[in-house]
Amino acid sequence: MTDRGPHAAQADRRAVLAGIAWMILTTVLFVVMHAMVRQLSDEIHPFEIAFFRNFLGLFLLAAMFQGTGWAALKTRQWGLHAARAAVNSLAMIAFFTSLSLAPFASVAALGFTAPLFAAIGAAIFLGERMRARRWIATLAGFGGVLVIVRPGIAEVGLGELLVILSALGWSAALLLIKTMSRTDSALTITAYMNLLLTPITFLFAVFVWTWPSFTQLLWLTGIACAGTLAQTSLNQALRHGEVAVVMPIEFVRVIWAALIGLYIFGEPLDIWVGAGAAIIVASTSYIA
């Protein structure tokens, strides 16, 4: 085996840092989308919000294709795209529903079981190496999440159970995305997600359908834009870095969620949120 040399090692570091940067952007976009879902879920059923998030996202993707051409739709990964759409649709519907049932920061905190599931799955199914330091950093970040959610952990309701179900589905989708990113571009993966999730989520939405007002349609458009850009950013992150490296960065999202819960939804911060956030920042900084 030949030594790849310092230039190759430097290129690897740049790729990892690029993956981390894309992941930080992803956390911001996802929290913005989830906040809008929470705001709108009092007026429109989460099933219908999930449908519009995918349907309206198609228009944003069409604008993106103007610069790349429709060749970006070429893929040989039909089975993986279909499997991703199935697990992702259930995860999305479960998560959107949980946002209407549980406190915003608690939903975000429990949702961070997904990176842990994904890291373990990547080691088992994708053959990614999980050295002791990565395990410690990942578990420390997850421990920070548990510190935040600890005051209410004894009372687990339907909303909290739906978050965990969503996390399991989302972790499976992440592994499929990582596999597809070896051959398909981030835009291709996002496009097929929207194309396939639109009819699947419509099957759920049709039973609770109400026509949105103009103002509600603006909110739904914002959700679709934030969600589509977040998915594209996530796909880029997974394309540049290993799952076990970039996914723990998602723990940063709980900090944005706690701040939005405080200033937008009036959910009080306490010492446990601050302590958990400090642990999360330390663990993700170490990984970076």
Side-chain angles (χ1 to χ4, degrees):
M1 183 181 295
T2 59
D3 189 356
R4 296 177 67 233
H7 293 294
Q10 187 176 10
D12 289 342
R13 285 195 294 271
R14 284 199 298 266
V16 169
L17 290 175
I20 291 172
W22 280 110
M23 197 64 212
I24 292 173
L25 175 61
T26 300
T27 65
V28 175
L29 291 169
F30 269 133
V31 168
V32 169
M33 179 186 71
H34 295 158
M36 289 190 285
V37 171
R38 169 67 179 273
Q39 185 72 23
L40 195 58
S41 62
D42 291 336
E43 304 172 18
I44 296 181
H45 197 282
F47 290 2
E48 188 172 349
I49 296 176
F51 163 72
F52 276 105
R53 177 258 175 274
N54 294 296
F55 174 68
L56 295 175
L58 291 173
F59 295 93
L60 179 60
L61 285 169
M64 292 181 181
F65 276 120
Q66 295 300 313
T68 62
W70 296 103
L73 283 177
K74 292 182 179 179
T75 182
R76 296 180 179 178
Q77 306 271 24
W78 294 105
L80 292 180
H81 283 293
R84 184 268 174 97
V87 296
N88 208 153
S89 60
L90 293 176
M92 181 182 294
I93 287 172
F95 193 85
F96 280 14
T97 303
S98 71
L99 285 168
S100 66
L101 298 174
F104 189 74
S106 296
V107 170
L110 286 173
F112 291 124
T113 51
L116 182 63
F117 296 147
I120 296 171
I124 296 173
F125 298 109
L126 302 183
E128 293 188 2
R129 290 176 295 177
M130 281 288 285
R131 298 184 181 90
R133 287 180 296 177
R134 281 191 189 174
W135 278 112
I136 292 171
T138 301
L139 291 174
F142 184 61
V145 171
L146 293 181
V147 169
I148 291 174
V149 78
R150 188 199 63 83
I153 202 167
E155 299 177 3
V156 180
L158 177 60
E160 287 78 8
L161 292 175
L162 286 173
V163 181
I164 295 174
L165 174 63
S166 173
L168 286 168
W170 181 230
S171 64
L174 290 170
L175 298 180
L176 291 168
I177 292 171
K178 179 60 180 178
T179 302
M180 291 186 290
S181 68
R182 295 168 180 168
T183 57
D184 289 356
S185 70
L187 184 57
T188 300
I189 296 171
T190 305
Y192 278 104
M193 187 207 78
N194 281 64
L195 285 168
L196 296 175
L197 262 69
T198 296
I200 293 174
T201 51
F202 179 73
L203 294 176
F204 289 87
V206 71
F207 295 103
V208 293
W209 188 268
T210 57
W211 287 103
S213 66
F214 179 75
T215 301
Q216 291 169 340
L217 192 60
L218 291 179
W219 278 100
L220 290 167
T221 301
I223 290 170
C225 289
T228 301
L229 292 174
Q231 282 289 338
T232 305
S233 177
L234 172 63
N235 296 338
Q236 286 283 21
L238 292 174
R239 190 177 184 86
H240 285 285
E242 293 182 354
V243 173
V245 175
V246 299
M247 284 313 300
I249 305 302
E250 194 180 21
F251 289 137
V252 175
R253 181 153 54 96
V254 77
I255 300 173
W256 317 141
L259 293 175
I260 288 177
L262 173 65
Y263 291 109
I264 303 298
F265 302 118
E267 297 174 357
L269 283 173
D270 57 27
I271 190 172
W272 298 108
V273 174
I279 296 172
I280 291 167
V281 169
S283 66
T284 52
S285 298
Y286 178 78
I287 293 169

